[in-house]
Amino acid sequence: MVTIDNAWFSKLQYAKITKMRFYIKPNIFEDSILLNLKNEIETFFQAKLVTVESEANVVFVLDKSIYPGYLVKKMNQEKVIILAAETVSLLQGFYYYLLNLINNDFNDVRQTPNQAIRMIDHWDNFDGTIERGYAGRSIFYENNQFLDDYNRVKMYARMLASVGINYIALNNVNVHHEETFLISAKHLAKVKFLADIFGKFGIKVMLSVNFASPIRFGDLKTADPLDEQVQQWWQTRANLIYDLIPDFGGFLVKADSEGEPGPFAYGRDHAQGANMLARALAPHHGIVIWRTFVYNAHQDWRDRTTDRARAAYDNFMALDGKFDDNVTLQIKFGPIDFQTREPVQPLFGALEKTNQIIEFQVTQEYTGHQIDINYLLQQWYEVLHFDTKHGQPELLLKDVPQTKSPVPQNSGVAAVGNVGRDDNWTGNKLAQANLYGFGRIAWDADLTPEQILSEWLQLTFGKLEHLDVIKEIMLSSNATYEAYTAPLGVGFMVTPQNHYGPSIDGYEFDRWGTYHFADRNGLGVDRTVKTGTGYTRQYADANYAKYEDLTTCPDELLLFFHHVDYTHVLHDGKTVIQHIYDTHFEGVEKVKQYLALWPQLEDELAPIDYQNVLEHLNRQLKNAVEWRDQMNTFFYRMSGIPDNQERKIYA
Ligand code: GCW
């Protein structure tokens, strides 16, 4: 029998809850979310729903003034009330209360989310594969059919709802042939099946659509957004969808990007393309989430003027203010592509009149494939607290969606999800923390990586004797991964296509256009105005000045912005070449340390979890060693400069 991991709903923890009594005030409108709340109490937690308020430990109250979010009020040792204006917030308040109960530090709290949209994007294909998926096949599809796995999807919906996720896109943004027809009558009944499950948990379902659908369906010869028949086609389509699924969220669109069709084919811009779809959805209150991941993927490495980092800003800044109210731009947090280290995308803070979503990647495409341990909260925390310098006294990235979007409720954060059909959802058990953590920072960006990790560990494993061991491993894991992979923000250097393991020149002469320009003297990409691609100028003045100047550019981003000699001295006094050697040797030592520490947890964890991480750590070590040796050898051969500690380099 397959037993699916309970993730942070580890049943062991719920003995307390089972003994509790819940009361729901009768004036609350009984929608599907409220029904589900009752069901969660009675069936999932096997606790009691009582009909007399005075008998209850937890009372749910509808209160129109508590919006958005909820208030959990402790009346006395025995009783709390959960107040909110909407049933979805009552449900979220319920989980919040339970999770905190487990963590034993519960107090009165008024919780309001930082972001209105808190979304997970699935890159699942209808055939069951997942683009950039590292935990088995899709939980939704197999062989161009829906799996109809009610139980698994419900468990997943509960996991997401418990951390406040409220939107989900069900299919890959690269919309292949069969997926194009997910919006056809043939498949919509099954989409509805999923939408109903997620809907009960307060999560709206969206679909990625193919911009050329009118053509692919065989109905029209064009997909020109200004063509009336095309507009009509999408309106009819929207009507059909909403007839079946009244709370459908809307469309997610990757257009004119990496081969996906879009408005450029008709000489139209992205605003014209997005607005056309938005107008079809508007009568139904649906939204269009339009991605800004648009760049020239047919570059010539000989051409030094094209810079992929510039692309989103170059394509979208001029369109600021041209998008309809129900369009939201989904913008990757960095200018390139979810690298371990890259600066924050300069569109943030610069866009003033356009709804925005910041996009992250929970799935570990460039960050270790869920083989290597990489607790990504470190990266996200740092990114979200970046000062764009577009505000007084500051404008941190985390505040951009709410403050710079004309319709704040159509703004927020999204992340590409990391689950698959593996029994433990994420391949590496510890990668569950990234999914949990994404939901938590989407709600409250000021929670620190340490706080979130403590919550997750407590919920997942309960009390641990060697808590410090697992914390030490996870909290240093992001820095460790960075240490043994590409240095100082240069990025990529990964195996082409699959993006795991080193391939220093893998993309150097490729059409996707990401380069390190290493030669015998040095490396890095010159993105300065003075001598490079001019990308630095896309930032607000203060950040432009900081990045443009070699002396003020932060070391960790040095090679993203500048081409320097191997002998260039970093702020800590080391040369670039010595930094490369040191970090690569140290990175491997760190992984060895993890392997040495892990056995301390053997008696405390379930054998399946213990073994799972151990096995992944062994693979991580191989990967780290390969990175170390290839990087050190490559740069030694290039520079001819030896390691000042004379460690082993395969010259
Ligand atoms: O980084 C790239 C990935 C692609 C992905 C693309 C995107 C879905 O390698 O697999 O395609 O990003 O974000 O659209």
Coordinates of all heavy atoms in Angstrom, one line a residue, residues 123-124 129-138 361-372 416-422 424-429 431 497-500 612 616 619:
W123 N 4.0 23.4 -13.2 CA 4.5 23.2 -14.6 C 4.2 21.8 -15.0 O 5.0 21.1 -15.6 CB 5.9 23.6 -14.7 CG 6.2 25.1 -14.7 CD1 5.3 26.1 -14.6 CD2 7.5 25.7 -14.7 NE1 5.9 27.3 -14.6 CE2 7.2 27.1 -14.6 CE3 8.8 25.3 -14.7 CZ2 8.3 28.1 -14.7 CZ3 9.8 26.2 -14.7 CH2 9.6 27.6 -14.7
D124 N 3.0 21.3 -14.7 CA 2.6 19.9 -15.0 C 2.1 19.8 -16.4 O 1.3 20.6 -16.8 CB 1.5 19.4 -14.0 CG 1.9 19.4 -12.6 OD1 2.8 20.2 -12.2 OD2 1.4 18.5 -11.8
T129 N 4.2 14.2 -17.1 CA 5.5 14.7 -16.8 C 5.4 16.1 -16.2 O 4.3 16.7 -16.3 CB 6.4 14.8 -18.0 OG1 5.8 15.7 -19.0 CG2 6.7 13.5 -18.7
I130 N 6.4 16.6 -15.5 CA 6.4 17.9 -15.0 C 7.7 18.6 -15.4 O 8.8 18.1 -15.2 CB 6.4 17.9 -13.4 CG1 5.2 17.1 -12.9 CG2 6.4 19.3 -12.9 CD1 5.2 17.0 -11.4
E131 N 7.5 19.7 -16.1 CA 8.7 20.5 -16.5 C 9.4 21.0 -15.2 O 8.8 21.6 -14.4 CB 8.3 21.6 -17.4 CG 9.5 22.4 -17.9 CD 9.3 23.1 -19.3 OE1 8.3 22.9 -19.9 OE2 10.1 23.9 -19.6
R132 N 10.7 20.6 -15.1 CA 11.5 21.0 -13.9 C 10.9 20.4 -12.6 O 10.9 21.0 -11.6 CB 11.6 22.5 -13.8 CG 12.0 23.3 -15.0 CD 13.2 22.7 -15.6 NE 13.5 23.4 -16.9 CZ 14.5 23.0 -17.7 NH1 15.2 21.9 -17.4 NH2 14.8 23.6 -18.8
G133 N 10.3 19.2 -12.8 CA 9.8 18.6 -11.6 C 10.8 17.5 -11.1 O 11.4 16.8 -11.9
Y134 N 11.0 17.4 -9.8 CA 12.0 16.5 -9.2 C 11.4 15.6 -8.1 O 12.1 15.2 -7.2 CB 13.1 17.4 -8.7 CG 13.6 18.4 -9.7 CD1 13.3 19.7 -9.5 CD2 14.2 17.9 -10.9 CE1 13.7 20.6 -10.5 CE2 14.6 18.8 -11.8 CZ 14.3 20.2 -11.7 OH 14.7 21.1 -12.6
A135 N 10.1 15.3 -8.2 CA 9.5 14.5 -7.2 C 8.5 13.6 -7.8 O 7.4 13.3 -7.3 CB 8.8 15.4 -6.2
G136 N 8.8 13.0 -9.0 CA 8.0 12.1 -9.6 C 7.0 12.8 -10.6 O 7.2 14.0 -10.9
R137 N 6.0 12.0 -11.0 CA 5.1 12.5 -12.0 C 4.0 13.4 -11.4 O 3.9 13.5 -10.2 CB 4.6 11.4 -12.8 CG 5.7 10.6 -13.5 CD 5.3 9.4 -14.2 NE 4.5 9.7 -15.4 CZ 5.0 10.0 -16.6 NH1 6.4 10.1 -16.7 NH2 4.3 10.3 -17.6
S138 N 3.2 14.0 -12.3 CA 2.2 14.9 -11.9 C 1.1 14.3 -10.9 O 0.7 13.1 -11.1 CB 1.5 15.4 -13.1 OG 0.3 16.1 -12.7
Q361 N 10.7 30.4 -7.5 CA 10.7 29.0 -7.9 C 11.0 28.1 -6.7 O 12.1 28.1 -6.2 CB 11.8 28.8 -9.0 CG 11.5 27.6 -9.9 CD 12.6 27.4 -11.0 OE1 13.8 27.6 -10.7 NE2 12.2 26.9 -12.1
V362 N 9.9 27.4 -6.3 CA 10.1 26.5 -5.2 C 10.8 25.2 -5.7 O 11.6 24.6 -5.0 CB 8.8 26.2 -4.5 CG1 9.0 25.3 -3.3 CG2 8.0 27.4 -4.1
T363 N 10.4 24.8 -6.9 CA 11.0 23.7 -7.5 C 12.5 24.0 -7.8 O 12.8 25.2 -8.2 CB 10.3 23.2 -8.8 OG1 10.8 21.9 -9.1 CG2 10.5 24.1 -9.9
Q364 N 13.4 23.1 -7.5 CA 14.8 23.5 -7.4 C 15.5 23.3 -8.8 O 16.4 22.5 -8.9 CB 15.5 22.7 -6.3 CG 15.2 23.2 -4.9 CD 15.8 22.3 -3.8 OE1 15.1 21.8 -3.0 NE2 17.1 22.1 -3.9
E365 N 15.1 24.0 -9.8 CA 15.6 23.9 -11.1 C 17.2 24.1 -11.2 O 17.9 23.3 -11.5 CB 14.9 24.8 -12.1 CG 15.6 24.7 -13.5 CD 14.9 25.6 -14.5 OE1 13.9 26.2 -14.2 OE2 15.3 25.6 -15.7
Y366 N 17.5 25.3 -10.8 CA 18.9 25.7 -10.8 C 19.6 25.6 -9.4 O 20.7 26.0 -9.2 CB 19.1 27.2 -11.3 CG 18.6 27.4 -12.7 CD1 17.4 27.9 -13.0 CD2 19.5 27.1 -13.8 CE1 17.0 28.1 -14.3 CE2 19.1 27.3 -15.1 CZ 17.8 27.8 -15.3 OH 17.4 28.0 -16.6
T367 N 18.8 25.1 -8.5 CA 19.2 25.2 -7.1 C 19.3 23.8 -6.5 O 19.2 23.6 -5.3 CB 18.3 26.1 -6.3 OG1 16.9 25.7 -6.5 CG2 18.4 27.5 -6.7
G368 N 19.5 22.8 -7.3 CA 19.9 21.5 -6.8 C 18.9 20.3 -6.9 O 19.1 19.2 -6.4
H369 N 17.9 20.5 -7.7 CA 17.0 19.4 -8.1 C 16.4 18.6 -7.0 O 16.0 17.5 -7.1 CB 17.7 18.5 -9.1 CG 17.8 19.0 -10.5 ND1 17.9 18.2 -11.6 CD2 17.7 20.2 -11.0 CE1 17.9 18.9 -12.7 NE2 17.8 20.2 -12.3
Q370 N 16.3 19.2 -5.8 CA 15.8 18.5 -4.6 C 16.6 17.2 -4.3 O 16.1 16.4 -3.6 CB 14.3 18.2 -4.8 CG 13.4 19.5 -4.5 CD 12.2 19.7 -5.4 OE1 12.1 20.7 -6.1 NE2 11.2 18.8 -5.3
I371 N 17.8 17.2 -4.9 CA 18.8 16.2 -4.5 C 19.6 16.9 -3.4 O 19.6 16.5 -2.3 CB 19.7 15.8 -5.7 CG1 18.8 15.1 -6.8 CG2 20.8 14.8 -5.2 CD1 19.6 14.9 -8.1
D372 N 20.2 18.0 -3.8 CA 20.9 18.8 -2.9 C 20.0 19.5 -1.9 O 19.0 20.1 -2.4 CB 21.8 19.8 -3.7 CG 22.8 19.2 -4.6 OD1 22.4 18.1 -5.1 OD2 23.8 19.7 -4.9
V416 N 6.7 28.6 -8.7 CA 6.6 27.4 -9.3 C 6.7 26.3 -8.3 O 7.6 26.3 -7.5 CB 7.7 27.2 -10.4 CG1 7.4 25.9 -11.2 CG2 7.8 28.4 -11.3
G417 N 5.7 25.4 -8.2 CA 5.6 24.4 -7.1 C 6.7 23.3 -7.3 O 7.3 23.1 -8.3
N418 N 6.8 22.5 -6.2 CA 7.8 21.5 -6.2 C 7.3 20.1 -5.8 O 8.1 19.2 -5.5 CB 8.9 21.8 -5.2 CG 8.5 21.8 -3.7 OD1 7.3 21.8 -3.4 ND2 9.4 21.9 -2.8
V419 N 6.0 19.9 -5.9 CA 5.5 18.5 -5.6 C 5.2 17.7 -6.8 O 5.0 18.1 -7.9 CB 4.2 18.6 -4.7 CG1 4.4 19.5 -3.5 CG2 3.0 19.0 -5.6
G420 N 5.3 16.4 -6.5 CA 5.0 15.4 -7.5 C 4.4 14.1 -6.8 O 4.1 14.2 -5.6
R421 N 4.3 13.1 -7.6 CA 3.7 11.9 -7.0 C 4.5 11.0 -6.1 O 4.1 10.0 -5.6 CB 3.1 11.0 -8.2 CG 1.7 10.7 -8.0 CD 1.2 9.8 -9.1 NE 1.1 10.5 -10.4 CZ 1.1 9.9 -11.6 NH1 1.3 8.6 -11.7 NH2 1.1 10.6 -12.7
D422 N 5.7 11.5 -5.8 CA 6.5 10.8 -4.8 C 5.8 10.7 -3.5 O 5.0 11.6 -3.1 CB 7.9 11.5 -4.5 CG 8.9 11.2 -5.6 OD1 8.6 10.5 -6.5 OD2 10.0 11.7 -5.4
N424 N 6.6 11.2 -0.6 CA 6.8 12.3 0.4 C 6.6 13.7 -0.3 O 7.1 14.7 0.1 CB 8.1 12.2 1.0 CG 9.3 12.5 0.1 OD1 9.1 12.8 -1.1 ND2 10.5 12.4 0.6
W425 N 6.0 13.7 -1.5 CA 5.6 14.9 -2.2 C 6.8 15.6 -2.9 O 6.6 16.2 -4.0 CB 5.0 16.0 -1.3 CG 3.7 15.5 -0.7 CD1 3.6 15.0 0.6 CD2 2.4 15.6 -1.2 NE1 2.3 14.7 0.9 CE2 1.5 15.1 -0.2 CE3 1.9 16.0 -2.4 CZ2 0.1 15.0 -0.4 CZ3 0.5 15.9 -2.6 CH2 -0.4 15.4 -1.6
T426 N 7.9 15.7 -2.3 CA 9.0 16.6 -2.8 C 10.3 15.9 -3.1 O 11.3 16.6 -3.3 CB 9.2 17.7 -1.8 OG1 9.4 17.2 -0.5 CG2 8.1 18.7 -1.7
G427 N 10.3 14.6 -3.1 CA 11.6 13.9 -3.4 C 12.4 13.9 -2.2 O 12.5 12.9 -1.4
N428 N 13.1 14.9 -1.9 CA 13.9 15.1 -0.7 C 12.9 15.6 0.4 O 12.2 16.6 0.2 CB 15.0 16.1 -0.9 CG 16.0 16.2 0.3 OD1 15.6 16.0 1.4 ND2 17.2 16.5 -0.1
K429 N 12.8 14.9 1.4 CA 11.9 15.2 2.5 C 12.0 16.7 2.9 O 11.1 17.4 3.2 CB 12.1 14.3 3.7 CG 11.4 14.6 5.0 CD 9.9 14.2 5.0 CE 9.3 14.5 6.3 NZ 7.8 14.2 6.3
A431 N 12.8 19.2 1.4 CA 12.3 20.2 0.4 C 10.9 20.6 0.7 O 10.4 21.6 0.2 CB 12.5 19.7 -1.0
Q497 N 20.2 22.1 -20.7 CA 18.9 21.4 -20.6 C 18.4 21.0 -19.2 O 17.5 21.5 -18.7 CB 18.8 20.2 -21.6 CG 18.3 20.6 -23.0 CD 19.4 20.5 -24.0 OE1 20.1 19.5 -24.0 NE2 19.5 21.4 -24.9
N498 N 19.2 20.1 -18.6 CA 18.7 19.6 -17.3 C 19.0 20.5 -16.1 O 18.4 20.5 -15.1 CB 19.0 18.1 -17.2 CG 20.1 17.9 -16.2 OD1 21.0 18.7 -16.0 ND2 20.0 16.7 -15.5
H499 N 20.1 21.3 -16.3 CA 20.4 22.3 -15.3 C 20.8 21.8 -13.9 O 20.7 22.4 -12.9 CB 19.2 23.3 -15.1 CG 18.9 24.0 -16.4 ND1 17.8 24.7 -16.6 CD2 19.6 24.2 -17.5 CE1 17.7 25.3 -17.8 NE2 18.9 24.9 -18.4
Y500 N 21.4 20.6 -13.9 CA 22.0 20.0 -12.7 C 23.4 19.7 -12.9 O 23.7 19.1 -14.0 CB 21.2 18.8 -12.2 CG 21.7 18.2 -10.9 CD1 21.3 18.9 -9.7 CD2 22.5 17.1 -10.8 CE1 21.7 18.4 -8.5 CE2 22.9 16.6 -9.6 CZ 22.5 17.2 -8.4 OH 22.9 16.7 -7.2
N612 N 15.9 8.7 3.5 CA 15.6 9.6 2.4 C 16.7 10.7 2.3 O 17.3 10.9 1.3 CB 14.2 10.1 2.4 CG 13.9 11.2 1.4 OD1 14.2 12.4 1.7 ND2 13.5 10.9 0.3
H616 N 20.0 11.2 -0.3 CA 20.1 12.5 -1.0 C 21.4 13.2 -0.7 O 22.1 13.7 -1.6 CB 18.9 13.4 -0.8 CG 17.7 13.0 -1.6 ND1 16.8 12.1 -1.1 CD2 17.3 13.3 -2.8 CE1 15.8 11.8 -2.0 NE2 16.1 12.6 -3.0
R619 N 24.2 11.7 -2.7 CA 24.2 12.2 -4.1 C 24.7 13.7 -4.1 O 25.4 14.1 -5.0 CB 22.8 12.1 -4.7 CG 22.5 10.6 -4.9 CD 21.0 10.4 -5.1 NE 20.5 10.9 -6.3 CZ 19.2 11.1 -6.7 NH1 18.3 10.8 -5.8 NH2 18.9 11.5 -7.8

